[in-house]
Each structure stands twice: as C-alpha cells, then as structure tokens.
Amino acid sequence: MQIDLIADGLTEPWGLAFLPDGRFMVTERDGRLKLFHGNQSPPIEVTGLPEVYAEGQGGLLDVMIPSDFAESREVWLSFAMPQGSGAGTALGKGRLADDGTKLIGFETLFAAPPGGTGGRHFGSRIVEAPDGSVFLTVGDRGTGPDGLEAQDPKRAEGKVIHLNRDGTPATQLDGALAGIFSLGHRNPQGAALDAAGWLWLVEHGAQGGDELNQVASGRNYGWPVISYGRNYDDAKIGVGQARQGMEQPVLYWDPSIAPSGLAIYSGKLVPEWQGDFFVGSLKFDYIARLDPGAGYKEERLSAPETGRVRDVVEAPDGSIWFLSVYDGAVYRIAPPI
C-alpha cells in the first residue's frame, strides 16, 4: 500500500468527512472547521460554529456530512459544549453556504444534561443510519470505575444517543432519557455501520480492556460494572469480566491501544479487505486491520505517518484516509498506481 500526504498544518485534527463533490472537511479540537478542495491550499476556515469547551479532551470534535447533502447542505458537528463550570457532549447542525465560508443557522439538537465536569471522555463520534437518523456516542466523562453515570438511564454519560434529523428521539427506551439507544460505554471514539446496517463501536478501556462492540438497541455494555481492564491502581473494576444482562465485547485489547476512528471497508479498491475493520491507535501509532472472517485477527499497518491516529474514514473512491495528530496531517492509503 502507498501512503500519500493530502493536507498538513493542522492542529489537533479530530474528525474527517467527505462532501459529494470531492471536497473534505476536518475539525480541529480547539474550535476550527476547515474545508479542503483536494490538496489545494489554503483551505477555507468555516465560520458560524458553536462555542466549544476546548479544555482537556474537549473542543470541536466530529463532523458528519449526511447522504442528502446535495439537497440539504447540512453539516453535523459534535462538540464539548460549555455548561457553567463544566461541559457536556453536544450535537448540532448548520447549512453550508454556497461559497463554503460559513455554516448558516447552526442549531444544537442535543446536549447532555448539565453535570459533567473535567475535560475527559466526551466520546463524540457521529454516524448516519440508513434511514437518515443519527447516532452520537457519549463518553462517561471520566467518572471512573466508582461513578455509575454510564449505568444511569436518566443520564447521557456512557450512552449511544439516537436522534431523528430534527433532533427528536429516534429511540425511546422505557424509563430512560429520551434518545438513549444503548448504555454502559466508557469512551467510544470510533463508530461505523457495517454492510448489514449494524452499528459498531470501538471504545477506550482503562488499563487494558479497550473494546470492539456490536451495538443493539436497549443493550447494556457493562461499564463500569464489568471490564477486561483494571483500574490505574491495578485494582479490579466492578465485579469482574462478566455479569448477567450485560454484553460481552466482540474483541478486547490488552494492553490498551487507545482506539479512535473506525471504518468498515467496502472492498471498492482492495476487494480482499471487504468487510474488514480499520481502527486507529492513539497509543501505539498504527492502524489495526481486523478481519472478521479470521476471528478479528489483527494486522498492524504501521509507518512513519501513522503517529497517533485519531480518525479513519473510507473515501468515496475506496481509498482509506486517516488523521495523524502528531503530524497535524491528512493521509491517504491506496494501492500504488
């Protein structure tokens, strides 16, 4: 495979998304959204964004371009929204102006109820479902093994949120905060749909216990009651590795790789990779290729460019693009010409 530099000069790039005309957008965590046309420079810095809490791991996070962009011109953003002395994961959308310079009429459609403090574990990946509804991952906000917010159905921490395009709940579980799809997550920073329409997440564990999960409505994925990781003082987390009524991961990593970004590959350019999972590692500086047909056996795609990979996305042409935090860059992986 060949790795080509597409764009650089970025500061803490977080999310990457493609427009149907070949342009692409990148978020920078401190609050900038940039619109690129190929490798032409400089990019357009888009205005009209929400105020963000750019502290710790918070800031402007993911970007999603819906399938009907040609008609709607919507750009969806997730971000850490200031809430008094704290912040919460939020999701909103605006319309991209014809000249690409600004978002018009940005509106926040979802914000976690106030109460989150500190600057950790916002989650924040956005995925469009086949019916046009939207999934948002929300981290546990770093409450740790002793905090049970991820298990509280009235709280947004540690959940997947499922919304209609107008922001109304697309899922409503009995007795739960409107929009909750699943619970018991720690910090999901990668999310994607497979060819059958299933939602998959990769999420951070503690010491060990990073997980790949296939997610279904109403299911509980265990955090912080069960985990394959251990606390940072080496103590056991919760009750151990299993409990009735809580889901097991499809795969877990020990030691942790700090997974961020997930793409499930179509096979368009590389047919032998069809259906494989590509996961970025923030800790060990590689992209993991997981083959479901071989029990999710991992191949590590490692190169000087794969430093602290934050997002992994399949481009419309079937190439695989990724963001390197270390290089402040966008790279493209494809077979050599």
Side-chain angles (χ1 to χ4, degrees):
M1 289 293 119
Q2 178 174 312
I3 300 178
D4 294 313
L5 174 67
I6 300 298
D8 58 6
L10 296 163
T11 302
E12 195 75 26
W14 213 97
L16 167 68
F18 291 92
L19 278 64
D21 61 7
R23 294 179 294 171
F24 63 95
M25 286 182 154
V26 177
T27 58
E28 293 179 304
R29 195 180 54 77
D30 59 1
R32 288 184 294 271
L33 175 64
K34 292 186 174 178
L35 174 61
F36 293 82
H37 193 290
N39 57 6
Q40 298 176 9
S41 59
I44 294 173
E45 187 168 324
V46 181
T47 62
L49 308 185
E51 180 186 1
V52 303
Y53 173 90
E55 302 288 342
Q57 298 169 3
L60 183 62
L61 301 172
D62 207 10
V63 54
M64 188 274 286
I65 306 298
S67 56
D68 68 351
F69 175 83
E71 295 78 35
S72 70
R73 299 197 61 81
E74 288 180 355
V75 174
W76 288 65
L77 298 172
S78 65
F79 56 102
M81 186 176 79
Q83 294 176 329
S85 60
T89 301
L91 176 71
K93 65 178 180 179
R95 291 185 301 107
L96 184 66
D98 290 343
D99 62 5
T101 60
K102 62 183 176 181
L103 295 185
I104 301 168
F106 188 89
E107 57 178 332
T108 298
L109 299 176
F110 170 85
T117 59
R120 294 188 296 159
H121 298 188
F122 290 92
S124 279
R125 287 297 171 196
I126 313 168
V127 176
E128 182 186 20
D131 64 0
S133 60
V134 175
F135 295 105
L136 170 71
T137 70
V138 181
D140 74 343
R141 299 294 286 105
T143 53
D146 297 326
L148 291 174
E149 286 87 347
Q151 290 293 319
D152 184 348
K154 296 294 187 182
R155 298 291 305 175
E157 293 91 340
K159 311 300 191 300
V160 173
I161 304 298
H162 188 202
L163 302 177
N164 295 311
R165 290 286 289 272
D166 61 1
T168 58
T171 299
Q172 181 62 70
L173 304 177
D174 290 344
L177 180 73
I180 287 179
F181 184 78
S182 61
L183 67 158
H185 303 285
R186 186 170 184 264
N187 190 24
Q189 288 195 2
L193 296 181
D194 66 15
W198 279 99
L199 177 67
W200 292 78
L201 304 183
V202 289
E203 48 189 294
H204 292 226
Q207 286 193 116
D210 292 349
E211 295 181 354
L212 170 68
N213 283 306
Q214 185 180 26
V215 182
S217 178
R219 302 290 178 85
N220 186 333
Y221 291 83
W223 179 260
V225 179
I226 60 172
S227 175
Y228 281 86
R230 297 187 71 86
N231 203 1
Y232 295 102
D233 62 2
D234 210 37
K236 182 178 73 172
I237 293 172
V239 301
Q241 297 175 350
R243 184 173 185 175
Q244 187 174 0
M246 293 184 175
E247 304 301 313
Q248 287 289 302
V250 172
L251 172 76
Y252 70 91
W253 285 269
D254 190 4
S256 297
I257 70 166
S260 187
L262 170 64
I264 303 176
Y265 189 60
S266 71
K268 189 171 185 177
L269 274 184
V270 188
E272 59 266 34
W273 285 354
Q274 184 175 3
D276 288 358
F277 291 59
F278 289 81
V279 182
S281 170
L282 291 165
K283 183 176 181 181
F284 292 127
D285 303 336
Y286 68 89
I287 297 172
R289 181 177 73 88
L290 307 175
D291 180 358
Y296 298 91
K297 181 180 178 181
E298 180 183 273
E299 176 192 5
R300 294 187 172 190
L301 308 179
S302 180
E305 295 86 355
T306 57
R308 196 164 167 80
V309 175
R310 176 63 76 180
D311 200 9
V312 185
V313 178
E314 182 178 348
D317 68 356
S319 58
I320 295 171
W321 291 37
F322 66 93
L323 299 178
S324 166
V325 176
Y326 283 156
D327 293 350
V330 183
Y331 290 105
R332 177 182 185 267
I333 302 175
I337 299 173

mmCIF file with all atom_site columns, all heavy atoms in Angstrom, residues 45-63:
data_model
loop_
_atom_site.group_PDB
_atom_site.id
_atom_site.type_symbol
_atom_site.label_atom_id
_atom_site.label_alt_id
_atom_site.label_comp_id
_atom_site.label_asym_id
_atom_site.label_entity_id
_atom_site.label_seq_id
_atom_site.pdbx_PDB_ins_code
_atom_site.Cartn_x
_atom_site.Cartn_y
_atom_site.Cartn_z
_atom_site.occupancy
_atom_site.B_iso_or_equiv
_atom_site.pdbx_formal_charge
_atom_site.auth_seq_id
_atom_site.auth_comp_id
_atom_site.auth_asym_id
_atom_site.auth_atom_id
_atom_site.pdbx_PDB_model_num
ATOM 1   N N   . GLU A 1 45 ? -11.461 28.370 6.134  1.00 0.00 ? 45 GLU A N   1
ATOM 2   C CA  . GLU A 1 45 ? -11.829 28.209 7.539  1.00 0.00 ? 45 GLU A CA  1
ATOM 3   C C   . GLU A 1 45 ? -13.286 28.634 7.685  1.00 0.00 ? 45 GLU A C   1
ATOM 4   O O   . GLU A 1 45 ? -13.647 29.794 7.495  1.00 0.00 ? 45 GLU A O   1
ATOM 5   C CB  . GLU A 1 45 ? -10.933 29.032 8.446  1.00 0.00 ? 45 GLU A CB  1
ATOM 6   C CG  . GLU A 1 45 ? -11.184 28.745 9.912  1.00 0.00 ? 45 GLU A CG  1
ATOM 7   C CD  . GLU A 1 45 ? -10.113 29.326 10.825 1.00 0.00 ? 45 GLU A CD  1
ATOM 8   O OE1 . GLU A 1 45 ? -8.938  29.345 10.437 1.00 0.00 ? 45 GLU A OE1 1
ATOM 9   O OE2 . GLU A 1 45 ? -10.483 29.765 11.943 1.00 0.00 ? 45 GLU A OE2 1
ATOM 10  N N   . VAL A 1 46 ? -14.132 27.661 7.998  1.00 0.00 ? 46 VAL A N   1
ATOM 11  C CA  . VAL A 1 46 ? -15.579 27.863 8.013  1.00 0.00 ? 46 VAL A CA  1
ATOM 12  C C   . VAL A 1 46 ? -15.984 28.567 9.305  1.00 0.00 ? 46 VAL A C   1
ATOM 13  O O   . VAL A 1 46 ? -15.552 28.184 10.399 1.00 0.00 ? 46 VAL A O   1
ATOM 14  C CB  . VAL A 1 46 ? -16.309 26.512 7.883  1.00 0.00 ? 46 VAL A CB  1
ATOM 15  C CG1 . VAL A 1 46 ? -17.819 26.713 7.882  1.00 0.00 ? 46 VAL A CG1 1
ATOM 16  C CG2 . VAL A 1 46 ? -15.865 25.782 6.612  1.00 0.00 ? 46 VAL A CG2 1
ATOM 17  N N   . THR A 1 47 ? -16.827 29.566 9.209  1.00 0.00 ? 47 THR A N   1
ATOM 18  C CA  . THR A 1 47 ? -17.334 30.286 10.372 1.00 0.00 ? 47 THR A CA  1
ATOM 19  C C   . THR A 1 47 ? -18.763 29.823 10.685 1.00 0.00 ? 47 THR A C   1
ATOM 20  O O   . THR A 1 47 ? -19.307 28.948 10.029 1.00 0.00 ? 47 THR A O   1
ATOM 21  C CB  . THR A 1 47 ? -17.302 31.797 10.130 1.00 0.00 ? 47 THR A CB  1
ATOM 22  O OG1 . THR A 1 47 ? -18.163 32.124 9.015  1.00 0.00 ? 47 THR A OG1 1
ATOM 23  C CG2 . THR A 1 47 ? -15.879 32.270 9.815  1.00 0.00 ? 47 THR A CG2 1
ATOM 24  N N   . GLY A 1 48 ? -19.356 30.442 11.711 1.00 0.00 ? 48 GLY A N   1
ATOM 25  C CA  . GLY A 1 48 ? -20.711 30.092 12.103 1.00 0.00 ? 48 GLY A CA  1
ATOM 26  C C   . GLY A 1 48 ? -20.793 28.872 12.979 1.00 0.00 ? 48 GLY A C   1
ATOM 27  O O   . GLY A 1 48 ? -21.835 28.197 13.025 1.00 0.00 ? 48 GLY A O   1
ATOM 28  N N   . LEU A 1 49 ? -19.717 28.569 13.698 1.00 0.00 ? 49 LEU A N   1
ATOM 29  C CA  . LEU A 1 49 ? -19.654 27.372 14.534 1.00 0.00 ? 49 LEU A CA  1
ATOM 30  C C   . LEU A 1 49 ? -20.165 27.656 15.937 1.00 0.00 ? 49 LEU A C   1
ATOM 31  O O   . LEU A 1 49 ? -20.201 28.805 16.386 1.00 0.00 ? 49 LEU A O   1
ATOM 32  C CB  . LEU A 1 49 ? -18.212 26.867 14.612 1.00 0.00 ? 49 LEU A CB  1
ATOM 33  C CG  . LEU A 1 49 ? -17.467 26.657 13.299 1.00 0.00 ? 49 LEU A CG  1
ATOM 34  C CD1 . LEU A 1 49 ? -16.095 26.047 13.570 1.00 0.00 ? 49 LEU A CD1 1
ATOM 35  C CD2 . LEU A 1 49 ? -18.267 25.788 12.350 1.00 0.00 ? 49 LEU A CD2 1
ATOM 36  N N   . PRO A 1 50 ? -20.513 26.615 16.684 1.00 0.00 ? 50 PRO A N   1
ATOM 37  C CA  . PRO A 1 50 ? -20.930 26.814 18.077 1.00 0.00 ? 50 PRO A CA  1
ATOM 38  C C   . PRO A 1 50 ? -19.738 27.128 18.963 1.00 0.00 ? 50 PRO A C   1
ATOM 39  O O   . PRO A 1 50 ? -18.579 26.829 18.628 1.00 0.00 ? 50 PRO A O   1
ATOM 40  C CB  . PRO A 1 50 ? -21.531 25.458 18.449 1.00 0.00 ? 50 PRO A CB  1
ATOM 41  C CG  . PRO A 1 50 ? -20.786 24.478 17.587 1.00 0.00 ? 50 PRO A CG  1
ATOM 42  C CD  . PRO A 1 50 ? -20.578 25.198 16.282 1.00 0.00 ? 50 PRO A CD  1
ATOM 43  N N   . GLU A 1 51 ? -20.008 27.722 20.120 1.00 0.00 ? 51 GLU A N   1
ATOM 44  C CA  . GLU A 1 51 ? -18.969 27.901 21.130 1.00 0.00 ? 51 GLU A CA  1
ATOM 45  C C   . GLU A 1 51 ? -18.603 26.532 21.687 1.00 0.00 ? 51 GLU A C   1
ATOM 46  O O   . GLU A 1 51 ? -19.469 25.697 21.934 1.00 0.00 ? 51 GLU A O   1
ATOM 47  C CB  . GLU A 1 51 ? -19.474 28.802 22.256 1.00 0.00 ? 51 GLU A CB  1
ATOM 48  C CG  . GLU A 1 51 ? -18.446 29.038 23.362 1.00 0.00 ? 51 GLU A CG  1
ATOM 49  C CD  . GLU A 1 51 ? -19.018 29.816 24.533 1.00 0.00 ? 51 GLU A CD  1
ATOM 50  O OE1 . GLU A 1 51 ? -20.215 30.160 24.486 1.00 0.00 ? 51 GLU A OE1 1
ATOM 51  O OE2 . GLU A 1 51 ? -18.273 30.058 25.505 1.00 0.00 ? 51 GLU A OE2 1
ATOM 52  N N   . VAL A 1 52 ? -17.307 26.294 21.877 1.00 0.00 ? 52 VAL A N   1
ATOM 53  C CA  . VAL A 1 52 ? -16.877 24.989 22.377 1.00 0.00 ? 52 VAL A CA  1
ATOM 54  C C   . VAL A 1 52 ? -16.058 25.152 23.656 1.00 0.00 ? 52 VAL A C   1
ATOM 55  O O   . VAL A 1 52 ? -15.460 26.203 23.914 1.00 0.00 ? 52 VAL A O   1
ATOM 56  C CB  . VAL A 1 52 ? -16.057 24.208 21.333 1.00 0.00 ? 52 VAL A CB  1
ATOM 57  C CG1 . VAL A 1 52 ? -16.852 24.037 20.040 1.00 0.00 ? 52 VAL A CG1 1
ATOM 58  C CG2 . VAL A 1 52 ? -14.716 24.852 21.055 1.00 0.00 ? 52 VAL A CG2 1
ATOM 59  N N   . TYR A 1 53 ? -16.039 24.073 24.427 1.00 0.00 ? 53 TYR A N   1
ATOM 60  C CA  . TYR A 1 53 ? -15.227 23.964 25.640 1.00 0.00 ? 53 TYR A CA  1
ATOM 61  C C   . TYR A 1 53 ? -13.938 23.260 25.236 1.00 0.00 ? 53 TYR A C   1
ATOM 62  O O   . TYR A 1 53 ? -13.877 22.038 25.165 1.00 0.00 ? 53 TYR A O   1
ATOM 63  C CB  . TYR A 1 53 ? -16.001 23.172 26.687 1.00 0.00 ? 53 TYR A CB  1
ATOM 64  C CG  . TYR A 1 53 ? -15.252 22.828 27.953 1.00 0.00 ? 53 TYR A CG  1
ATOM 65  C CD1 . TYR A 1 53 ? -15.268 23.687 29.052 1.00 0.00 ? 53 TYR A CD1 1
ATOM 66  C CD2 . TYR A 1 53 ? -14.565 21.613 28.069 1.00 0.00 ? 53 TYR A CD2 1
ATOM 67  C CE1 . TYR A 1 53 ? -14.602 23.352 30.229 1.00 0.00 ? 53 TYR A CE1 1
ATOM 68  C CE2 . TYR A 1 53 ? -13.907 21.276 29.241 1.00 0.00 ? 53 TYR A CE2 1
ATOM 69  C CZ  . TYR A 1 53 ? -13.925 22.148 30.318 1.00 0.00 ? 53 TYR A CZ  1
ATOM 70  O OH  . TYR A 1 53 ? -13.271 21.808 31.481 1.00 0.00 ? 53 TYR A OH  1
ATOM 71  N N   . ALA A 1 54 ? -12.912 24.035 24.897 1.00 0.00 ? 54 ALA A N   1
ATOM 72  C CA  . ALA A 1 54 ? -11.661 23.489 24.382 1.00 0.00 ? 54 ALA A CA  1
ATOM 73  C C   . ALA A 1 54 ? -10.663 23.311 25.526 1.00 0.00 ? 54 ALA A C   1
ATOM 74  O O   . ALA A 1 54 ? -9.635  23.974 25.601 1.00 0.00 ? 54 ALA A O   1
ATOM 75  C CB  . ALA A 1 54 ? -11.091 24.385 23.293 1.00 0.00 ? 54 ALA A CB  1
ATOM 76  N N   . GLU A 1 55 ? -11.001 22.401 26.424 1.00 0.00 ? 55 GLU A N   1
ATOM 77  C CA  . GLU A 1 55 ? -10.136 22.092 27.559 1.00 0.00 ? 55 GLU A CA  1
ATOM 78  C C   . GLU A 1 55 ? -9.956  20.575 27.620 1.00 0.00 ? 55 GLU A C   1
ATOM 79  O O   . GLU A 1 55 ? -10.889 19.819 27.335 1.00 0.00 ? 55 GLU A O   1
ATOM 80  C CB  . GLU A 1 55 ? -10.758 22.571 28.877 1.00 0.00 ? 55 GLU A CB  1
ATOM 81  C CG  . GLU A 1 55 ? -11.056 24.063 28.927 1.00 0.00 ? 55 GLU A CG  1
ATOM 82  C CD  . GLU A 1 55 ? -9.810  24.913 29.043 1.00 0.00 ? 55 GLU A CD  1
ATOM 83  O OE1 . GLU A 1 55 ? -8.756  24.351 29.434 1.00 0.00 ? 55 GLU A OE1 1
ATOM 84  O OE2 . GLU A 1 55 ? -9.882  26.116 28.744 1.00 0.00 ? 55 GLU A OE2 1
ATOM 85  N N   . GLY A 1 56 ? -8.758  20.130 28.020 1.00 0.00 ? 56 GLY A N   1
ATOM 86  C CA  . GLY A 1 56 ? -8.511  18.694 28.112 1.00 0.00 ? 56 GLY A CA  1
ATOM 87  C C   . GLY A 1 56 ? -8.776  18.018 26.785 1.00 0.00 ? 56 GLY A C   1
ATOM 88  O O   . GLY A 1 56 ? -8.221  18.401 25.754 1.00 0.00 ? 56 GLY A O   1
ATOM 89  N N   . GLN A 1 57 ? -9.665  17.029 26.784 1.00 0.00 ? 57 GLN A N   1
ATOM 90  C CA  . GLN A 1 57 ? -10.041 16.327 25.562 1.00 0.00 ? 57 GLN A CA  1
ATOM 91  C C   . GLN A 1 57 ? -11.253 16.954 24.875 1.00 0.00 ? 57 GLN A C   1
ATOM 92  O O   . GLN A 1 57 ? -11.716 16.448 23.852 1.00 0.00 ? 57 GLN A O   1
ATOM 93  C CB  . GLN A 1 57 ? -10.343 14.857 25.888 1.00 0.00 ? 57 GLN A CB  1
ATOM 94  C CG  . GLN A 1 57 ? -9.160  14.101 26.447 1.00 0.00 ? 57 GLN A CG  1
ATOM 95  C CD  . GLN A 1 57 ? -9.537  12.732 27.012 1.00 0.00 ? 57 GLN A CD  1
ATOM 96  O OE1 . GLN A 1 57 ? -10.680 12.298 26.940 1.00 0.00 ? 57 GLN A OE1 1
ATOM 97  N NE2 . GLN A 1 57 ? -8.570  12.062 27.609 1.00 0.00 ? 57 GLN A NE2 1
ATOM 98  N N   . GLY A 1 58 ? -11.765 18.043 25.426 1.00 0.00 ? 58 GLY A N   1
ATOM 99  C CA  . GLY A 1 58 ? -12.943 18.683 24.871 1.00 0.00 ? 58 GLY A CA  1
ATOM 100 C C   . GLY A 1 58 ? -12.605 19.644 23.758 1.00 0.00 ? 58 GLY A C   1
ATOM 101 O O   . GLY A 1 58 ? -11.463 20.030 23.543 1.00 0.00 ? 58 GLY A O   1
ATOM 102 N N   . GLY A 1 59 ? -13.636 20.069 23.037 1.00 0.00 ? 59 GLY A N   1
ATOM 103 C CA  . GLY A 1 59 ? -13.477 21.031 21.956 1.00 0.00 ? 59 GLY A CA  1
ATOM 104 C C   . GLY A 1 59 ? -14.427 20.710 20.825 1.00 0.00 ? 59 GLY A C   1
ATOM 105 O O   . GLY A 1 59 ? -15.495 20.125 21.022 1.00 0.00 ? 59 GLY A O   1
ATOM 106 N N   . LEU A 1 60 ? -14.047 21.123 19.609 1.00 0.00 ? 60 LEU A N   1
ATOM 107 C CA  . LEU A 1 60 ? -14.795 20.750 18.409 1.00 0.00 ? 60 LEU A CA  1
ATOM 108 C C   . LEU A 1 60 ? -14.322 19.359 18.005 1.00 0.00 ? 60 LEU A C   1
ATOM 109 O O   . LEU A 1 60 ? -13.127 19.142 17.809 1.00 0.00 ? 60 LEU A O   1
ATOM 110 C CB  . LEU A 1 60 ? -14.546 21.762 17.292 1.00 0.00 ? 60 LEU A CB  1
ATOM 111 C CG  . LEU A 1 60 ? -15.325 21.541 15.997 1.00 0.00 ? 60 LEU A CG  1
ATOM 112 C CD1 . LEU A 1 60 ? -16.830 21.629 16.226 1.00 0.00 ? 60 LEU A CD1 1
ATOM 113 C CD2 . LEU A 1 60 ? -14.894 22.553 14.941 1.00 0.00 ? 60 LEU A CD2 1
ATOM 114 N N   . LEU A 1 61 ? -15.235 18.418 17.871 1.00 0.00 ? 61 LEU A N   1
ATOM 115 C CA  . LEU A 1 61 ? -14.847 17.022 17.760 1.00 0.00 ? 61 LEU A CA  1
ATOM 116 C C   . LEU A 1 61 ? -15.216 16.455 16.388 1.00 0.00 ? 61 LEU A C   1
ATOM 117 O O   . LEU A 1 61 ? -14.536 16.733 15.430 1.00 0.00 ? 61 LEU A O   1
ATOM 118 C CB  . LEU A 1 61 ? -15.429 16.241 18.941 1.00 0.00 ? 61 LEU A CB  1
ATOM 119 C CG  . LEU A 1 61 ? -14.946 16.799 20.312 1.00 0.00 ? 61 LEU A CG  1
ATOM 120 C CD1 . LEU A 1 61 ? -15.678 16.162 21.478 1.00 0.00 ? 61 LEU A CD1 1
ATOM 121 C CD2 . LEU A 1 61 ? -13.432 16.646 20.460 1.00 0.00 ? 61 LEU A CD2 1
ATOM 122 N N   . ASP A 1 62 ? -16.285 15.742 16.232 1.00 0.00 ? 62 ASP A N   1
ATOM 123 C CA  . ASP A 1 62 ? -16.527 15.063 14.960 1.00 0.00 ? 62 ASP A CA  1
ATOM 124 C C   . ASP A 1 62 ? -17.304 15.938 13.984 1.00 0.00 ? 62 ASP A C   1
ATOM 125 O O   . ASP A 1 62 ? -17.965 16.913 14.371 1.00 0.00 ? 62 ASP A O   1
ATOM 126 C CB  . ASP A 1 62 ? -17.282 13.753 15.205 1.00 0.00 ? 62 ASP A CB  1
ATOM 127 C CG  . ASP A 1 62 ? -17.029 12.711 14.129 1.00 0.00 ? 62 ASP A CG  1
ATOM 128 O OD1 . ASP A 1 62 ? -16.129 12.917 13.291 1.00 0.00 ? 62 ASP A OD1 1
ATOM 129 O OD2 . ASP A 1 62 ? -17.729 11.690 14.128 1.00 0.00 ? 62 ASP A OD2 1
ATOM 130 N N   . VAL A 1 63 ? -17.237 15.544 12.698 1.00 0.00 ? 63 VAL A N   1
ATOM 131 C CA  . VAL A 1 63 ? -18.013 16.178 11.638 1.00 0.00 ? 63 VAL A CA  1
ATOM 132 C C   . VAL A 1 63 ? -18.617 15.069 10.792 1.00 0.00 ? 63 VAL A C   1
ATOM 133 O O   . VAL A 1 63 ? -17.972 14.059 10.519 1.00 0.00 ? 63 VAL A O   1
ATOM 134 C CB  . VAL A 1 63 ? -17.137 17.127 10.777 1.00 0.00 ? 63 VAL A CB  1
ATOM 135 C CG1 . VAL A 1 63 ? -15.903 16.428 10.228 1.00 0.00 ? 63 VAL A CG1 1
ATOM 136 C CG2 . VAL A 1 63 ? -17.950 17.756 9.655  1.00 0.00 ? 63 VAL A CG2 1
#
